[in-house]
Every structure is written in C-alpha cells, then in structure tokens.
C-alpha cells in the first residue's frame, strides 16, 4: 500500500496530543456514547481544543457526570442530550431537538458487544440494531446538518467506530436479525462491526460532493463498559486478560483508544479522502492470518456490500432513500 495515509502519531498516542495545537472554536460535534469509555475521552479532546461538544447518551446520571468532568478543562461548551440508539423514536426525537443547527463532526461511538440475544423496540437484533441501524438513522437525519456545517469552509466528517471484530462475520443479508439461524453473540458483533465499516463507505459516497467525508475507525483493544456482558473467565480464555486479571500487552487506555477517532475527525492528512478504515492513527493495512489482530478484511470495504446494506437500511429505518 504505497500511498497509505499515515499520521505523525504512534498507536499509543493520547487523544489530547492528536488535537494539540488545533483550534476548533466554532465547530460543533456530537459524540454518541460520549459519557464513558473512549467516548468521553473523544469528547474531552475535542472540547479542550475549543469545539462545542454534545454528548448523546441514554443514561442521564452518567451523561451529567461526564459533562461536569469535561467542563473542568474544556475551552468549548459541553452538554448532553438523550439518545437511545435502540429506539427509532428516541433517535427521531434527538434529531428533531437538534433542528437545523449546522454540525461539523458526528462521532458514532456508542455500541453494544456480545450481549445475549435481544431485540430492539423496533424488532431488530440488538447488536446490529443499535450499532448500525440506530446510527444509520441518526446519521441520515443529521446529514443536512453536516452538509450545512461543511459550507463553513472547514468541511464536515462522520466517524463510524468499527472493530477488528469485523473479521468474525460479513453481513448476513439473508438473516441479519437471527430469525432463522441460531444466535451466536460474536457472529452478531462481527456482522455489526462490518456494517459500521460498510456504512462509512456508503455515506462517504453519497455526501463527499457536498463536503462531508466519512471514515471507519478501529480504536484498538480497550477495557471499557463495552465488556459488561463478558465474564472475567471468558476474557481470560480469549487471551484478553492474564491469569491474574491484567490486560495483555497491546491493550490501550481509553485516552489512547480515542486517538484514532479524534484523528479521523480532525486530521489534515485525511483531507480529500474518505470511505477508509483507520487503525492506530493510520489507514489500516489489509488483514492477514499472520497478524490477525490488526488490519481490515475485504468484506468490510466492499462497495457492492455497502450499497446492499444501504438499501436494507433505508428499508429498515424508512430514512436515507
């Protein structure tokens, strides 16, 4: 990959260092799931650089605590707004409250991982329903706001958080909601993370000519509330934790895990590009068996699958056609 795009930073850079020296005053960002984990560190880094940041979250106590914490060092205004990505009603209400305000950055950070089989209030399997379809609806409803933000001359960006977990499964277009084949939590998660990457491809294709670019991000291995559904013994069996319960080498802190999202949002090296899968503050290399914990598989960037997923998402959400 001779023309691979890289930043000046290393994989374990703190998100604050990525944006250091930049002035984001006047820019507006939404971070879904911005109350905990890498979401709060993404919001913090952007706010400290002067951006107005709105945390979109479903738990008021966590959101209020996050706003109070970030506000201690923020240069930009920080607030929060209710958003439950497993509810189309909640998503539409969020977009209605947002109104016609221009938006520069939409960081689709929230997610659920490896949960037991469950369905959203709209009848969608919980992992793809929340991680992809919820974010799809939010993004297409806010697309006009991103376009308006791009007219400021700064450009607008959408960042969709994917994962190396995408290697576990491509999209199953025949049965995405596990209605006719047995549910397997990691297959479900893999499909959802593949969908996040494909969504960035589809969104970038549709809005790049209007000044909005989209990127998928693999943040790295980070211990956050995302692991809430995984028993410690399972995490040890997967090699994430050693026998003493300590993270294996290579795991990042939440501050380090937020760095690729922040670079995707503001990195000048990415100007004029889009639809890419980013990892460790660089464009990801193709996945190989020799290095299975990094890289991107072809099925996560397949333009035909991206179009098929977009059509399914329009049908499912009733938006974005």
């Amino acid at each position: 990959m001779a023309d691979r795009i890289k930043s000046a930073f290393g994989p374990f850079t703190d998100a604050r260092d990525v944006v250091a020296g930049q002035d984001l005053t006047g820019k507006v960002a939404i971070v879904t799931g911005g109350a905990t984990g890498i979401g709060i560190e993404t919001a913090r880094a952007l706010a400290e650089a002067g951006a107005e940041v709105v945390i979109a979250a479903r738990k008021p106590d966590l959101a209020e605590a996050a706003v109070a914490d970030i506000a201690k060092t923020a240069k930009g205004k920080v607030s929060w707004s209710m958003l439950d990505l497993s509810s189309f009603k909640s998503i539409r209400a969020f977009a209605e409250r947002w109104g016609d305000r221009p938006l520069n950055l939409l960081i689709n950070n929230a997610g659920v991982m490896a949960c037991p089989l469950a369905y959203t209030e709209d009848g969608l399997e919980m992992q793809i329903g929340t991680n992809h379809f919820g974010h799809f609806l939010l993004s297409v409803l806010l697309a006009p706001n991103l376009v308006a933000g791009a007219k400021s001359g700064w450009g607008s960006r959408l960042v969709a958080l994917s994962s190396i977990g995408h290697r576990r499964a491509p999209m199953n277009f025949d049965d995405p909601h596990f209605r006719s084949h047995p549910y397997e939590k990691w297959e479900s998660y893999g499909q959802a993370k593949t969908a996040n990457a494909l969504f960035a491809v589809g969104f970038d294709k549709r809005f790049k000519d209007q000044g909005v670019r989209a990127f998928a991000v693999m943040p790295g291995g980070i211990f956050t509330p995302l692991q809430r559904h995984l028993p410690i013994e399972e995490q040890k069996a997967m090699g994430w934790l050693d026998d003493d319960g300590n993270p294996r080498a290579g795991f990042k802190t939440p501050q380090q895990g937020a760095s690729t999202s922040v670079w995707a949002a503001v990195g000048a090296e990415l100007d004029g590009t889009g639809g890419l899968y980013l990892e460790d503050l660089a464009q990801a290399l193709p996945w190989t068996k020799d290095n299975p914990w990094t890289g991107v598989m072809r099925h996560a960037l397949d333009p035909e699958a991206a179009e098929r997923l977009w059509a399914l998402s329009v049908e499912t959400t009733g938006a974005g056609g």
Side-chain angles (χ1 to χ4, degrees):
M1 190 181 291
D3 56 349
R4 180 184 177 211
I5 300 172
K6 301 179 182 179
S7 73
F9 305 103
F12 296 94
T13 301
D14 189 299
R16 289 162 149 172
D17 295 332
V18 174
V19 79
Q22 294 202 39
D23 183 4
L24 302 183
T25 302
K27 311 308 175 189
V28 181
I30 293 172
V31 182
T32 70
T36 60
I38 62 175
I40 190 173
E41 299 306 329
T42 302
R44 189 192 315 278
L46 296 173
E48 288 185 355
E52 177 182 346
V53 179
V54 178
I55 290 171
R58 64 185 178 88
K59 295 184 177 180
D61 55 337
L62 294 178
E64 290 171 3
V67 168
D69 185 41
I70 295 171
K72 296 174 184 176
T73 55
K75 295 180 182 177
K77 178 184 176 183
V78 187
S79 61
W80 77 277
S81 186
M82 175 63 67
L83 176 67
D84 182 350
L85 286 161
S86 68
S87 164
F88 289 169
K89 180 180 178 181
S90 174
I91 296 165
R92 291 184 181 280
F94 179 96
E96 288 177 9
R97 290 195 305 273
W98 192 266
D100 60 0
R101 289 189 64 201
L103 177 65
N104 300 103
L105 299 172
L106 176 56
I107 316 294
N108 289 339
N109 167 85
V112 60
M113 181 176 73
C115 62
L117 178 61
Y119 288 88
T120 71
E121 69 178 39
D122 301 289
L124 312 179
E125 187 275 316
M126 186 62 70
Q127 293 196 71
I128 197 166
T130 299
N131 296 352
H132 168 65
F133 288 109
H135 275 127
F136 176 91
L137 178 58
L138 177 70
S139 301
V140 296
L141 291 177
L142 294 177
N145 307 84
L146 287 165
V147 171
K151 292 179 180 178
S152 66
W154 189 73
S156 295
R157 293 184 184 179
L158 178 148
V159 180
L161 268 75
S162 182
S163 165
I164 190 60
H166 79 269
R167 77 190 192 283
R168 293 178 177 270
M171 276 297 305
N172 183 339
F173 288 106
D174 294 327
D175 187 26
H177 302 293
F178 293 85
R179 303 192 196 285
S180 61
H181 78 288
Y183 178 75
E184 201 287 310
K185 65 185 181 182
W186 288 114
E187 177 190 348
S188 168
Y189 182 68
Q191 174 183 236
K193 294 293 102 178
T194 291
N196 291 145
L198 292 174
F199 173 63
V201 173
F203 195 91
D204 188 76
K205 175 184 176 182
R206 284 162 176 80
F207 294 99
K208 62 183 179 181
D209 291 341
Q210 299 179 70
V212 185
R213 305 311 300 256
F215 302 92
V217 163
M218 157 57 175
I222 309 105
F223 283 98
T224 72
L226 190 64
Q227 285 88 11
R228 66 176 64 90
H229 297 291
L230 296 180
I232 295 297
E233 292 308 314
E234 183 173 355
Q235 295 184 48
K236 289 181 178 179
M238 295 175 68
W240 293 4
L241 299 173
D242 64 21
D243 291 338
D244 297 322
N246 300 311
R248 69 169 175 80
F251 270 76
K252 301 179 180 182
T253 66
Q255 292 86 352
Q256 294 165 345
S259 60
T260 303
S261 294
V262 172
W263 179 59
V266 304
E269 299 91 343
L270 296 166
D271 287 348
T273 68
L276 306 177
Y277 182 102
L278 309 176
E279 177 179 43
D280 289 339
L281 293 119
Q283 184 179 0
L285 293 167
W287 182 90
T288 66
K289 291 182 179 179
D290 294 334
N291 195 11
W293 290 100
T294 61
V296 59
M297 286 190 162
R298 290 182 180 180
H299 68 244
L301 293 176
D302 178 17
E304 292 185 6
E307 288 304 298
R308 192 173 179 186
L309 178 61
W310 193 279
L312 175 63
S313 304
V314 171
E315 178 184 352
T316 301
T317 65

